[in-house]
Amino acid sequence: MHDLALQLAVIGVAGIASQWLAWRLQVPAIVMLLGVGLVFGPLTGLMNPRKDFGDLYTPLVSTAVAIILFEGGLTLRLREIRETSTAVRRVVLLSGPLVWVLTALAARYVGAMSWPVSIILGALLVVTGPTVIMPLLRHARLRSRPASILRWEAILNDPVGALFAVVAFEAYLVLRGAHEAEHLIVTTAAALLVAVVGGILVGRGLTVFFARGHAPEYLKAPILFAVVVAMNALTNLVLEEAGLLTVTVMGITMANSRLASLNELRRFKETITVLLVSGLFIILTASLQREVILSLEWRVVAFLVLVLCVIRPLTLFVSTIGAGLGFRERLLVGWIAPRGIVAVAVAGLFGSSLARIGLADADRMVAYTFAVVAATILLHGFTLKPLARLLDLRVTNRPGILVVGASRFSIALAQRLKALEVPVLIADANWSHVSEARLGEVEVWFGEILSEEAHHSLDLSRFDHMIAATDNDAYNALVCTDFGAEIGRSEVFQIGATAANTQTSSARHTMHFSLGGRPLFDPPRGYNELRDHVIDGWAFQATRLTAEFGYGQFFETRPEGTLPILWIRPSQEIVFAAGEGAGEPGPGDTIVSFGPPRAEREQEKIVRGTLTEREARREKARKTAEEVSKQAEGTN
């Protein structure tokens, strides 16, 4: 397949199809992409992107990696690192150099490589790629501290490891007489200055430029995209691969600014990153030569055992002594260190350069790097979730529900869900409302759900669904719109009028269909109506269906007007009745419904009320008769 347009189309379709299939099967997407790349490249010879793309291969890969790292930097907020700042600093500044030295020694004495190749390989394997760790974290749902360490380490270590490799390569050229030592020192210092200072200045400059309205909204993302590509290329002119550090610093700078349009920019970059990660993994894996893979011998197994089971855990435990992490957190982080795109891309770049210089084992460096990448993707991809569960470092084993707005309706719903062991939290900025929820023994969060603090202190990975249930329909729609991009637009619901409810009011008073969440009830029920229902005695009930007692029998035995809200399947999956494609619950499902009291109870209340009223009348008549009798006696 030598037609580049067709090859790009196949790579794009296969990459996104792999992402979707991984989501459906609940397996790490990187594993699927790795397999597709091997099938397209070494196994079948269908394509060889390195050869087919020619001179464009290296700059395209470098630019794509820079965009991915910039997007990763946009996710790093300094406020979220308060608990783990010491650990992150030590992992990057202390553990990184230790990994470099020990891995180089392992490559030299176990892999039998030359010193130049061993040192460069040790630098490459410092990286723990964000392109791998991000999908794994999304899949594993770790608690905030270990997830924060792994995320920060992955994004910061990628450019640092690449710089280590560049410095090692340039130092080797100095030893060969190709450069002067002063040239290496000056070049490295200049690259670091441009990367750090330039990244900060450009990041702040773009923030001010956007905040003051010097660019329209539709141009902000393209401008940002162009600046990232330009800064990466300019810094690379000073020192190869130093642009990765520049764009990472830019991303972190902008992530910690107060830019109103940052969320929209981040979502655009996330979309681009998913496309780039999918394509790059297939391209880099398909570029591997079958001969290089077959050249792997028994030494690579010993090397892998040292790198994964000795060097990484040892350096992590040493560097985090006194850093405030528990043993279980250090054990998890010490095992999880997947390598990714940057390691493979930079290994290919230096492998070809070292081969031209005359180092015979340069190709073995590429093979060893690929072996580490493949082993860590498979081992860490499939063990992270079980290990986190074993160490009790997952946020929850069940999908949870975030409820915005504490009212009698939402508190009663939360209590019923809690009784079913469904994780639920109510968020409200009104203290008196929160107090009522706390008295009902419901987990609460006091504060504005749309605030920046909420995004820092609330771990949204705990929740797969959200219900906006305040007394303000417009606010409910705003909350659902804001959180829909993170939780999923099909998993956010609201009470009251919604964008989808276009038949209850005129077009002038109806919100756009792209705003708000799905209605929790059909037809929609407002805050006041639900409050009156609760006052009238409506309550939440949980009913488990069986083969004999199905969905039809459920409605036959319930008072007229009963509203099913959701049902919980035996797999603990939560399905909302108003959700798209919800279907009907089946045997084994537990329905949570909201309905009026049973007819016999209402009749009992009426009877009791009638009896009480008759007794009161009799008592009043008796007292009146007594008073009349006393008055008559007094007159006599």
Side-chain angles (χ1 to χ4, degrees), residues 353-373:
S353 300
L354 291 172
R356 286 195 301 269
I357 293 174
L359 288 174
D361 53 356
D363 286 339
R364 293 181 65 230
M365 181 185 72
V366 178
Y368 271 55
T369 303
F370 172 75
V372 173
V373 170

PDB file of all heavy atoms in Angstrom, residues 353-373:
ATOM      1  N   SER A 353      20.592   7.678  13.170  1.00  0.00           N
ATOM      2  CA  SER A 353      21.771   8.548  13.215  1.00  0.00           C
ATOM      3  C   SER A 353      23.000   7.779  13.683  1.00  0.00           C
ATOM      4  O   SER A 353      24.093   7.931  13.121  1.00  0.00           O
ATOM      5  CB  SER A 353      21.500   9.738  14.151  1.00  0.00           C
ATOM      6  OG  SER A 353      20.407  10.496  13.693  1.00  0.00           O
ATOM      7  N   LEU A 354      22.846   6.952  14.723  1.00  0.00           N
ATOM      8  CA  LEU A 354      23.972   6.171  15.233  1.00  0.00           C
ATOM      9  C   LEU A 354      24.413   5.119  14.221  1.00  0.00           C
ATOM     10  O   LEU A 354      25.604   4.799  14.111  1.00  0.00           O
ATOM     11  CB  LEU A 354      23.588   5.505  16.555  1.00  0.00           C
ATOM     12  CG  LEU A 354      23.390   6.449  17.752  1.00  0.00           C
ATOM     13  CD1 LEU A 354      22.817   5.679  18.939  1.00  0.00           C
ATOM     14  CD2 LEU A 354      24.698   7.129  18.137  1.00  0.00           C
ATOM     15  N   ALA A 355      23.451   4.556  13.473  1.00  0.00           N
ATOM     16  CA  ALA A 355      23.815   3.564  12.449  1.00  0.00           C
ATOM     17  C   ALA A 355      24.647   4.210  11.354  1.00  0.00           C
ATOM     18  O   ALA A 355      25.603   3.596  10.837  1.00  0.00           O
ATOM     19  CB  ALA A 355      22.552   2.942  11.880  1.00  0.00           C
ATOM     20  N   ARG A 356      24.316   5.449  10.965  1.00  0.00           N
ATOM     21  CA  ARG A 356      25.111   6.144   9.943  1.00  0.00           C
ATOM     22  C   ARG A 356      26.519   6.438  10.425  1.00  0.00           C
ATOM     23  O   ARG A 356      27.472   6.433   9.646  1.00  0.00           O
ATOM     24  CB  ARG A 356      24.403   7.456   9.550  1.00  0.00           C
ATOM     25  CG  ARG A 356      23.180   7.262   8.673  1.00  0.00           C
ATOM     26  CD  ARG A 356      22.756   8.562   8.034  1.00  0.00           C
ATOM     27  NE  ARG A 356      22.433   9.585   9.013  1.00  0.00           N
ATOM     28  CZ  ARG A 356      21.230   9.790   9.498  1.00  0.00           C
ATOM     29  NH1 ARG A 356      20.223   9.034   9.082  1.00  0.00           N
ATOM     30  NH2 ARG A 356      21.010  10.747  10.388  1.00  0.00           N
ATOM     31  N   ILE A 357      26.649   6.684  11.739  1.00  0.00           N
ATOM     32  CA  ILE A 357      27.971   6.945  12.293  1.00  0.00           C
ATOM     33  C   ILE A 357      28.817   5.682  12.292  1.00  0.00           C
ATOM     34  O   ILE A 357      30.037   5.738  12.190  1.00  0.00           O
ATOM     35  CB  ILE A 357      27.835   7.516  13.724  1.00  0.00           C
ATOM     36  CG1 ILE A 357      27.197   8.909  13.662  1.00  0.00           C
ATOM     37  CG2 ILE A 357      29.175   7.589  14.426  1.00  0.00           C
ATOM     38  CD1 ILE A 357      26.887   9.490  15.016  1.00  0.00           C
ATOM     39  N   GLY A 358      28.173   4.523  12.403  1.00  0.00           N
ATOM     40  CA  GLY A 358      28.915   3.278  12.352  1.00  0.00           C
ATOM     41  C   GLY A 358      28.763   2.381  13.550  1.00  0.00           C
ATOM     42  O   GLY A 358      29.497   1.390  13.674  1.00  0.00           O
ATOM     43  N   LEU A 359      27.816   2.688  14.451  1.00  0.00           N
ATOM     44  CA  LEU A 359      27.591   1.829  15.613  1.00  0.00           C
ATOM     45  C   LEU A 359      26.694   0.664  15.206  1.00  0.00           C
ATOM     46  O   LEU A 359      25.527   0.838  14.841  1.00  0.00           O
ATOM     47  CB  LEU A 359      26.946   2.626  16.752  1.00  0.00           C
ATOM     48  CG  LEU A 359      27.877   3.638  17.450  1.00  0.00           C
ATOM     49  CD1 LEU A 359      27.110   4.468  18.447  1.00  0.00           C
ATOM     50  CD2 LEU A 359      29.029   2.931  18.134  1.00  0.00           C
ATOM     51  N   ALA A 360      27.233  -0.537  15.297  1.00  0.00           N
ATOM     52  CA  ALA A 360      26.535  -1.715  14.775  1.00  0.00           C
ATOM     53  C   ALA A 360      25.301  -2.071  15.579  1.00  0.00           C
ATOM     54  O   ALA A 360      24.363  -2.678  15.048  1.00  0.00           O
ATOM     55  CB  ALA A 360      27.496  -2.900  14.728  1.00  0.00           C
ATOM     56  N   ASP A 361      25.290  -1.754  16.874  1.00  0.00           N
ATOM     57  CA  ASP A 361      24.164  -2.169  17.712  1.00  0.00           C
ATOM     58  C   ASP A 361      23.095  -1.083  17.838  1.00  0.00           C
ATOM     59  O   ASP A 361      22.269  -1.123  18.749  1.00  0.00           O
ATOM     60  CB  ASP A 361      24.651  -2.589  19.105  1.00  0.00           C
ATOM     61  CG  ASP A 361      25.516  -1.522  19.754  1.00  0.00           C
ATOM     62  OD1 ASP A 361      25.795  -0.510  19.088  1.00  0.00           O
ATOM     63  OD2 ASP A 361      25.920  -1.712  20.913  1.00  0.00           O
ATOM     64  N   ALA A 362      23.099  -0.095  16.921  1.00  0.00           N
ATOM     65  CA  ALA A 362      22.079   0.959  16.971  1.00  0.00           C
ATOM     66  C   ALA A 362      20.686   0.390  16.727  1.00  0.00           C
ATOM     67  O   ALA A 362      19.703   0.810  17.351  1.00  0.00           O
ATOM     68  CB  ALA A 362      22.399   2.044  15.953  1.00  0.00           C
ATOM     69  N   ASP A 363      20.591  -0.591  15.796  1.00  0.00           N
ATOM     70  CA  ASP A 363      19.288  -1.200  15.523  1.00  0.00           C
ATOM     71  C   ASP A 363      18.769  -1.975  16.740  1.00  0.00           C
ATOM     72  O   ASP A 363      17.552  -2.060  16.962  1.00  0.00           O
ATOM     73  CB  ASP A 363      19.387  -2.130  14.329  1.00  0.00           C
ATOM     74  CG  ASP A 363      19.499  -1.362  13.014  1.00  0.00           C
ATOM     75  OD1 ASP A 363      19.106  -0.181  13.005  1.00  0.00           O
ATOM     76  OD2 ASP A 363      19.993  -1.937  12.030  1.00  0.00           O
ATOM     77  N   ARG A 364      19.680  -2.550  17.518  1.00  0.00           N
ATOM     78  CA  ARG A 364      19.267  -3.268  18.725  1.00  0.00           C
ATOM     79  C   ARG A 364      18.666  -2.310  19.748  1.00  0.00           C
ATOM     80  O   ARG A 364      17.770  -2.686  20.509  1.00  0.00           O
ATOM     81  CB  ARG A 364      20.457  -4.014  19.325  1.00  0.00           C
ATOM     82  CG  ARG A 364      20.964  -5.153  18.441  1.00  0.00           C
ATOM     83  CD  ARG A 364      22.127  -5.877  19.072  1.00  0.00           C
ATOM     84  NE  ARG A 364      21.716  -6.546  20.297  1.00  0.00           N
ATOM     85  CZ  ARG A 364      22.365  -6.426  21.464  1.00  0.00           C
ATOM     86  NH1 ARG A 364      23.412  -5.645  21.560  1.00  0.00           N
ATOM     87  NH2 ARG A 364      21.938  -7.081  22.515  1.00  0.00           N
ATOM     88  N   MET A 365      19.121  -1.060  19.768  1.00  0.00           N
ATOM     89  CA  MET A 365      18.530  -0.072  20.662  1.00  0.00           C
ATOM     90  C   MET A 365      17.059   0.153  20.315  1.00  0.00           C
ATOM     91  O   MET A 365      16.198   0.234  21.204  1.00  0.00           O
ATOM     92  CB  MET A 365      19.294   1.248  20.578  1.00  0.00           C
ATOM     93  CG  MET A 365      18.742   2.336  21.500  1.00  0.00           C
ATOM     94  SD  MET A 365      19.542   3.939  21.296  1.00  0.00           S
ATOM     95  CE  MET A 365      18.894   4.436  19.703  1.00  0.00           C
ATOM     96  N   VAL A 366      16.761   0.249  19.030  1.00  0.00           N
ATOM     97  CA  VAL A 366      15.372   0.416  18.595  1.00  0.00           C
ATOM     98  C   VAL A 366      14.550  -0.808  18.982  1.00  0.00           C
ATOM     99  O   VAL A 366      13.414  -0.696  19.478  1.00  0.00           O
ATOM    100  CB  VAL A 366      15.316   0.650  17.077  1.00  0.00           C
ATOM    101  CG1 VAL A 366      13.864   0.779  16.610  1.00  0.00           C
ATOM    102  CG2 VAL A 366      16.097   1.893  16.691  1.00  0.00           C
ATOM    103  N   ALA A 367      15.118  -2.004  18.792  1.00  0.00           N
ATOM    104  CA  ALA A 367      14.403  -3.234  19.133  1.00  0.00           C
ATOM    105  C   ALA A 367      14.145  -3.325  20.634  1.00  0.00           C
ATOM    106  O   ALA A 367      13.053  -3.705  21.066  1.00  0.00           O
ATOM    107  CB  ALA A 367      15.207  -4.445  18.654  1.00  0.00           C
ATOM    108  N   TYR A 368      15.135  -2.975  21.450  1.00  0.00           N
ATOM    109  CA  TYR A 368      14.964  -3.018  22.900  1.00  0.00           C
ATOM    110  C   TYR A 368      13.927  -1.996  23.359  1.00  0.00           C
ATOM    111  O   TYR A 368      13.115  -2.269  24.256  1.00  0.00           O
ATOM    112  CB  TYR A 368      16.301  -2.766  23.600  1.00  0.00           C
ATOM    113  CG  TYR A 368      17.102  -4.024  23.852  1.00  0.00           C
ATOM    114  CD1 TYR A 368      17.425  -4.892  22.812  1.00  0.00           C
ATOM    115  CD2 TYR A 368      17.542  -4.351  25.131  1.00  0.00           C
ATOM    116  CE1 TYR A 368      18.153  -6.043  23.036  1.00  0.00           C
ATOM    117  CE2 TYR A 368      18.267  -5.506  25.376  1.00  0.00           C
ATOM    118  CZ  TYR A 368      18.572  -6.347  24.317  1.00  0.00           C
ATOM    119  OH  TYR A 368      19.278  -7.489  24.551  1.00  0.00           O
ATOM    120  N   THR A 369      13.951  -0.820  22.737  1.00  0.00           N
ATOM    121  CA  THR A 369      12.960   0.208  23.097  1.00  0.00           C
ATOM    122  C   THR A 369      11.551  -0.277  22.772  1.00  0.00           C
ATOM    123  O   THR A 369      10.627  -0.131  23.594  1.00  0.00           O
ATOM    124  CB  THR A 369      13.242   1.513  22.328  1.00  0.00           C
ATOM    125  OG1 THR A 369      14.569   1.955  22.610  1.00  0.00           O
ATOM    126  CG2 THR A 369      12.251   2.593  22.740  1.00  0.00           C
ATOM    127  N   PHE A 370      11.380  -0.853  21.597  1.00  0.00           N
ATOM    128  CA  PHE A 370      10.069  -1.379  21.243  1.00  0.00           C
ATOM    129  C   PHE A 370       9.650  -2.504  22.189  1.00  0.00           C
ATOM    130  O   PHE A 370       8.478  -2.602  22.571  1.00  0.00           O
ATOM    131  CB  PHE A 370      10.065  -1.895  19.807  1.00  0.00           C
ATOM    132  CG  PHE A 370       8.811  -2.629  19.449  1.00  0.00           C
ATOM    133  CD1 PHE A 370       7.642  -1.940  19.209  1.00  0.00           C
ATOM    134  CD2 PHE A 370       8.787  -4.012  19.374  1.00  0.00           C
ATOM    135  CE1 PHE A 370       6.470  -2.617  18.897  1.00  0.00           C
ATOM    136  CE2 PHE A 370       7.631  -4.697  19.056  1.00  0.00           C
ATOM    137  CZ  PHE A 370       6.471  -3.996  18.812  1.00  0.00           C
ATOM    138  N   ALA A 371      10.600  -3.351  22.588  1.00  0.00           N
ATOM    139  CA  ALA A 371      10.279  -4.447  23.509  1.00  0.00           C
ATOM    140  C   ALA A 371       9.780  -3.897  24.838  1.00  0.00           C
ATOM    141  O   ALA A 371       8.801  -4.404  25.409  1.00  0.00           O
ATOM    142  CB  ALA A 371      11.503  -5.329  23.723  1.00  0.00           C
ATOM    143  N   VAL A 372      10.435  -2.850  25.347  1.00  0.00           N
ATOM    144  CA  VAL A 372       9.996  -2.242  26.612  1.00  0.00           C
ATOM    145  C   VAL A 372       8.625  -1.605  26.449  1.00  0.00           C
ATOM    146  O   VAL A 372       7.742  -1.744  27.313  1.00  0.00           O
ATOM    147  CB  VAL A 372      11.025  -1.207  27.094  1.00  0.00           C
ATOM    148  CG1 VAL A 372      10.497  -0.449  28.313  1.00  0.00           C
ATOM    149  CG2 VAL A 372      12.350  -1.889  27.439  1.00  0.00           C
ATOM    150  N   VAL A 373       8.422  -0.885  25.337  1.00  0.00           N
ATOM    151  CA  VAL A 373       7.122  -0.239  25.101  1.00  0.00           C
ATOM    152  C   VAL A 373       6.013  -1.280  25.025  1.00  0.00           C
ATOM    153  O   VAL A 373       4.968  -1.158  25.675  1.00  0.00           O
ATOM    154  CB  VAL A 373       7.176   0.607  23.808  1.00  0.00           C
ATOM    155  CG1 VAL A 373       5.778   1.082  23.428  1.00  0.00           C
ATOM    156  CG2 VAL A 373       8.096   1.795  23.988  1.00  0.00           C
TER     157      VAL A 373
END
